[in-house]
Amino acid sequence: MIDHFASHENGLHPASEKSACPVCAALDSLVHGELSSGSSPLLWPGRLPPQRDQQAARPRQTIFQPGETLDGMQIVCDGWAARVSRLTDGRRQILSFVLPGDLVSTRALFAGSLNFYLEAITAVRYASYRRAEFIAKLAAEPNLIKALIRINLAEKDEADRLAADLGRRRAEERLARLFLQLMARLEIRGLVRDQSFALPLRQQHIADATGLTPVHVNRVIGALRGDGLIELAHGVLKVANLAQLRRLADLN
Amino acid sequence: MIDHFASHENGLHPASEKSACPVCAALDSLVHGELSSGSSPLLWPGRLPPQRDQQAARPRQTIFQPGETLDGMQIVCDGWAARVSRLTDGRRQILSFVLPGDLVSTRALFAGSLNFYLEAITAVRYASYRRAEFIAKLAAEPNLIKALIRINLAEKDEADRLAADLGRRRAEERLARLFLQLMARLEIRGLVRDQSFALPLRQQHIADATGLTPVHVNRVIGALRGDGLIELAHGVLKVANLAQLRRLADLN
DNA sequence: CGCGATTTTGAGAGGTCTCAAGCGTAGTGG
DNA sequence: CCACTACGCTTGAGACCTCTCAAAATCGCG
């Protein structure tokens, strides 16, 4: 690493040398527009560990706690989980949903511990790479370095976006944006058909994600339903009027 | 870099080799408790460029815009700025305040562009390192690598904390937390005396940071004043009752 | 001293919350 | 097979927090 940096003292490698320096190549391609900014690409592109190395969690189970010492990187292989922040009086805020194939957080790799709860929403299977093991993987597959940087950026983008939503948008907009964001992320995974997808969230989860009350979430969903924008029942969400829902969500 | 990773294929270097590998050493010390979690440490520990290499911005000036191509790293040397997210209809959310000595965002280094506005609050002097230049700096001073990682983590911590505040706390708590957070950050810089400090924010700024209306901010400030928790006038904030303000802010 | 920007105050509306009850559905055990 | 229970969804009524609109008061700067 030190050698790498030292070799830059006179500037970046010129383009012709790019292939000789994977870090430069990775940075370079990121800088030149490869960074997808739309739907949060937290998806880890590496191969997942075999199922026998995975651990399981039941719905509602707390998988990780703040402060818990973790050495390495955790990936949710199957099921939905949520990153949760809890206030001392019990109020909860869901910081993000972790979908199948998502890295839980790049924080664990560098900080060694998390600062949020990871809670299973559905049954969850997840895997943990130890740091050394994970770093070896990065070495073997330089594209993964790129992915790690991209994911790190996406995490922060998402956090900023969430803050703006919670601070400045009203209930209807927040729900519309949440639904569309989830749809986009699931679409990448091929889990959306005919603009509808499985949504294993209780209204309580939606409330905790949008900074609202379950009761109010229920009323807003009712309104969206009444306006013909969505159909939501039996754990399946169907976007019935995509154009109008996007307009409500202030997208495009 | 590739060599560094390759040398890890059998795990991290043992402790005895630590000094031979600055990246490992940096990671290691971060993992073992050196990560300060309290007041957001966005402060860049490196030497600032000489004043003649700095640029200036007047109050209210937009320094950077989303999408603007930036090559490198920007540091605010003097004055207050704000990272701002704008909705299409003009609503604004301040994502963070950038204080003297703070890195604007580690994002610029890896993404090449920003996704927020940087707006000057007071008169601002700032400096921009080009990426190559900045990387050379990192190479020359390995502690800065550590700082960069720490700042990257702190940025994300802050963003998550903000989301939880905006989603789940009421106006009084949000103001109390904002004031105490700013005090803590300014204290590091030696800018707090007798629990009071210069606060160059308009109530509009406070409103944009807390997701409230200027009018409501004014009333809440009035309430805090009336309760003897703060004194705020003429651009100076004095915390008159720290214990109670901290209790209100849900700290400790 | 005068003008624009900012703070303060008032009145009323509206969005969201709280508390509470009723309802549907799925699983459980007799 | 049928209570019975648990859980989540739905609905109602009223309170509270925050917003909107508007105007007055104050501050700061030229």
Side-chain angles (χ1 to χ4, degrees):
Chain A
M1 176 76 109
I2 198 71
D3 299 327
H4 171 79
F5 284 132
S7 73
H8 286 78
E9 263 162 12
N10 297 315
L12 282 174
H13 300 307
S16 58
E17 288 184 35
K18 230 191 272 182
S19 60
C21 173
V23 175
C24 278
L27 277 180
D28 224 58
S29 66
L30 279 171
V31 169
H32 293 94
E34 207 179 291
L35 186 72
S36 91
S37 54
S39 50
S40 71
L42 307 178
L43 198 54
W44 180 242
R47 195 120 41 82
L48 295 180
Q51 191 158 341
R52 62 175 154 67
D53 291 338
Q54 297 177 8
Q55 296 178 267
R58 323 196 123 277
R60 297 153 160 280
Q61 186 177 332
T62 296
I63 301 177
F64 299 120
Q65 293 196 326
E68 195 170 324
T69 301
L70 292 175
D71 165 48
M73 195 62 112
Q74 299 77 38
I75 296 182
V76 167
C77 306
D78 197 57
W80 287 41
R83 290 174 50 231
V84 178
S85 166
R86 255 200 260 273
L87 310 192
T88 57
D89 66 355
R91 286 174 286 181
R92 297 156 45 87
Q93 175 67 48
I94 291 183
L95 301 170
S96 69
F97 293 105
V98 186
L99 305 187
D102 280 346
L103 278 187
V104 170
S105 170
T106 56
R107 178 189 168 94
L109 187 62
F110 297 108
S113 70
L114 302 178
N115 56 346
F116 49 79
Y117 295 87
L118 184 70
E119 300 185 0
I121 292 173
T122 65
V124 163
R125 282 186 298 107
Y126 65 98
S128 302
Y129 296 104
R130 266 164 299 121
R131 180 180 295 111
E133 190 185 343
F134 190 81
I135 288 178
K137 238 179 225 310
L138 293 180
E141 179 65 71
N143 265 337
L144 295 185
I145 299 173
K146 222 158 66 174
L148 191 65
I149 293 174
R150 177 176 52 73
I151 290 175
N152 187 276
L153 290 170
E155 289 174 343
K156 214 177 315 166
D157 285 1
E158 274 308 305
D160 285 348
R161 199 191 53 70
L162 179 63
D165 285 356
L166 294 176
R168 289 309 192 190
R169 292 187 194 275
R170 45 197 55 184
E172 268 197 341
E173 295 177 83
R174 296 188 207 170
L175 289 208
R177 290 173 71 82
L178 175 61
F179 292 152
L180 288 175
Q181 196 219 13
L182 289 174
M183 184 161 84
R185 292 173 63 186
L186 292 169
E187 211 147 34
I188 296 172
R189 281 155 246 250
L191 296 175
V192 176
R193 278 177 53 97
D194 199 23
Q195 309 213 324
S196 79
F197 56 91
L199 185 77
L201 304 179
R202 310 290 109 217
Q203 292 184 353
Q204 176 74 61
H205 291 124
I206 299 176
D208 286 337
T210 52
L212 301 169
T213 294
V215 175
H216 196 56
V217 165
N218 182 280
R219 292 191 222 274
V220 174
I221 287 177
L224 293 177
R225 230 187 323 242
D227 292 345
L229 300 189
I230 65 170
E231 295 162 22
L232 174 54
H234 311 300
V236 173
L237 174 68
K238 168 159 186 156
V239 175
N241 187 334
L242 180 59
Q244 208 176 329
L245 192 62
R246 289 181 63 85
R247 205 170 322 126
L248 176 57
D250 192 26
L251 297 171
N252 280 1
Chain B
M1 176 75 109
I2 197 69
D3 300 325
H4 171 80
F5 284 132
S7 73
H8 285 80
E9 262 163 13
N10 297 316
L12 282 174
H13 301 307
S16 58
E17 288 185 36
K18 231 192 265 180
S19 60
C21 173
V23 174
C24 278
L27 277 180
D28 226 56
S29 65
L30 279 171
V31 169
H32 292 94
E34 207 180 293
L35 186 73
S36 91
S37 54
S39 52
S40 72
L42 307 177
L43 197 55
W44 179 243
R47 195 118 44 80
L48 296 180
Q51 192 159 339
R52 62 175 156 64
D53 291 340
Q54 297 176 10
Q55 297 178 265
R58 323 198 121 277
R60 297 155 160 280
Q61 184 177 333
T62 296
I63 302 177
F64 298 120
Q65 293 197 326
E68 195 171 322
T69 301
L70 292 175
D71 163 48
M73 192 64 108
Q74 299 77 40
I75 296 183
V76 167
C77 306
D78 196 58
W80 287 40
R83 291 174 49 232
V84 178
S85 166
R86 253 201 261 274
L87 310 193
T88 57
D89 65 357
R91 285 174 288 182
R92 296 156 45 87
Q93 175 67 47
I94 290 183
L95 302 170
S96 70
F97 292 106
V98 184
L99 305 187
D102 279 346
L103 277 185
V104 170
S105 170
T106 56
R107 180 189 167 95
L109 187 62
F110 298 108
S113 70
L114 302 179
N115 57 346
F116 49 80
Y117 295 87
L118 184 69
E119 300 185 0
I121 292 172
T122 66
V124 164
R125 280 186 299 108
Y126 65 98
S128 302
Y129 296 104
R130 265 164 298 120
R131 180 181 295 112
E133 192 186 343
F134 189 81
I135 288 178
K137 240 180 223 314
L138 293 181
E141 180 64 72
N143 265 335
L144 293 184
I145 299 172
K146 221 157 67 174
L148 191 65
I149 294 173
R150 175 177 53 71
I151 290 174
N152 187 275
L153 291 171
E155 288 175 343
K156 216 177 315 165
D157 285 2
E158 274 310 303
D160 284 348
R161 197 191 54 70
L162 179 63
D165 286 355
L166 294 175
R168 289 309 191 190
R169 293 187 194 274
R170 48 198 53 186
E172 268 197 344
E173 297 176 82
R174 294 187 207 170
L175 288 209
R177 292 173 71 81
L178 174 61
F179 291 152
L180 288 174
Q181 197 221 11
L182 288 173
M183 183 161 84
R185 291 172 66 187
L186 292 169
E187 211 146 34
I188 297 173
R189 280 157 247 246
L191 296 175
V192 177
R193 278 177 54 96
D194 198 24
Q195 310 214 324
S196 78
F197 55 91
L199 185 77
L201 304 178
R202 309 291 108 215
Q203 293 184 355
Q204 176 73 61
H205 291 126
I206 300 176
D208 286 337
T210 53
L212 299 169
T213 292
V215 175
H216 196 56
V217 165
N218 182 279
R219 291 189 223 274
V220 174
I221 287 178
L224 294 177
R225 231 187 321 242
D227 292 345
L229 300 189
I230 65 172
E231 296 162 21
L232 175 54
H234 310 301
V236 173
L237 175 68
K238 167 159 186 158
V239 174
N241 187 333
L242 180 58
Q244 209 176 329
L245 192 62
R246 288 182 62 84
R247 206 171 320 127
L248 176 58
D250 191 26
L251 296 171
N252 279 1

